[in-house]
Amino acid sequence: MSIGGTKPDLIFVELIHKSLRVDGTRLLDSVAALNLEHGPRRVPAIRAFFDQYSNQLQLHHSHEDRIFFPIVEARVGRERMRLDELTSQHDVLEAELRTISHELALLDERGGDFAAGRVRACDALSMMSETLAAHLDLEEAAVLPLVESEIPVADYKGLESQARHATPRAQAHFLIPWIVAHATPTQRKALFRSAPPLRLVNLAARHRYRRLDLACTR
C-alpha cells in the first residue's frame, strides 16, 4: 500500500491475490470433505462458486496481459519482469482450471464412482493451488515492486480505471464482495478509500455473494 501517495496503491491487487490463495485452498477443502451420503447434493453449489472463482482468475490474467504487463514491460523490459515465465504460468493455470471444471462436472453426474471422482477433483484442485501459489509469489517478487518503483501514481490509477471498465458488471458483483470478505478492517478502509464507488457495489452485491459463499462451504 502506498504511503502519502508517493507510490501506486496496490491494495486492490493485493486483495485479489489474497482471495485467490485462500479460496483455492478452501475449494479443495470443501471437495475433500464431501461424502457419498451428502456430497452429491453439495456439488452444484461448489461448482457455482468455482465457476465464479475461475472466471475471476481468468479475468485477472486478461487484465494483466492486456493492461498492466505491457506498461511494465515498456518500462523495464521482458527479462527484468520475467514476463515469459509469467505468461507461461497463465497458460498452465487456465488449462488446470479447465481440468477442475471437467472433474467437478463429472462429480455432479449421477451413477458414477463418487469417491474416485472426488479424488480426481481434489488432485486437480491441489495442482492448481500449487501452481497458483508459485505464480502469485513470482508476481509479488518480480512485478509488484517494479510497479511501485517505475509506474507513476497517476498512470497506475489510469490502468486501474481501464481494468474496472473492462470488468463485466456481473463479475464485479462477485469480485467486490469477495475481496471485501477477505480483507481486514484496515484493508477494507483502504480499498474503499482508493475507489469510493466500490462501497456501493459491495452494498448492492454482498448478500448474493454471501449466499453463494455459504452454499459452497457449509
Side-chain angles (χ1 to χ4, degrees):
M1 191 185 309
S2 67
I3 299 174
T6 60
K7 297 186 295 185
D9 188 341
L10 302 182
I11 185 63
F12 200 86
V13 68
E14 288 168 357
L15 283 174
I16 289 176
H17 282 198
K18 179 181 180 180
S19 302
L20 287 168
R21 289 180 190 274
V22 170
D23 278 353
T25 299
R26 200 158 61 99
L27 279 160
L28 172 58
D29 292 343
S30 293
V31 174
L34 295 174
N35 58 48
L36 186 57
E37 181 180 1
H38 303 294
R41 294 204 305 270
R42 294 199 51 229
V43 173
I46 293 173
R47 287 185 67 190
F49 190 93
F50 172 76
D51 286 345
Q52 292 288 347
Y53 177 95
S54 177
N55 289 342
Q56 186 54 55
L57 179 52
Q58 292 179 78
L59 183 65
H60 182 60
H61 288 170
S62 176
H63 288 171
E64 289 176 335
D65 292 339
R66 299 179 184 181
I67 298 172
F68 292 97
F69 285 176
I71 299 301
V72 181
E73 181 188 8
R75 300 267 178 167
V76 305
R78 297 179 68 88
E79 291 186 8
R80 187 176 173 193
M81 66 178 293
R82 299 173 67 177
L83 182 58
D84 291 338
E85 189 174 351
L86 289 166
T87 54
S88 176
Q89 289 174 337
H90 283 182
D91 292 340
V92 172
L93 280 164
E94 292 192 12
E96 291 175 347
L97 290 173
R98 289 193 295 271
T99 298
I100 295 167
S101 182
H102 175 70
E103 293 299 342
L104 290 177
L106 292 178
L107 195 60
D108 201 17
E109 292 181 356
R110 299 295 183 265
D113 186 336
F114 186 82
R118 180 185 60 204
V119 170
R120 290 195 304 270
C122 284
D123 287 346
L125 280 160
S126 179
M127 183 176 297
M128 186 277 296
S129 294
E130 290 179 7
T131 303
L132 178 63
H135 177 64
L136 297 179
D137 286 347
L138 179 58
E139 281 190 5
E140 290 161 7
V143 179
L144 297 191
L146 292 173
V147 170
E148 289 188 318
S149 65
E150 305 296 332
I151 308 298
V153 171
D155 290 359
Y156 187 76
K157 287 182 177 179
L159 298 175
E160 282 200 321
S161 179
Q162 288 182 51
R164 283 197 295 273
H165 283 94
T167 301
R169 178 172 300 198
Q171 193 60 36
H173 282 189
F174 171 81
L175 167 62
I176 302 309
W178 178 58
I179 62 174
V180 168
H182 289 84
T184 66
T186 299
Q187 289 173 324
R188 195 174 300 124
K189 289 178 182 178
L191 177 68
F192 292 149
R193 186 168 58 247
S194 73
L198 298 181
R199 186 187 299 274
L200 297 177
V201 177
N202 182 58
L203 288 172
R206 63 185 179 182
H207 295 300
R208 181 178 179 184
Y209 167 78
R210 286 173 182 168
R211 288 195 297 269
L212 180 70
D213 178 66
L214 288 172
C216 174
T217 58
R218 67 186 178 191

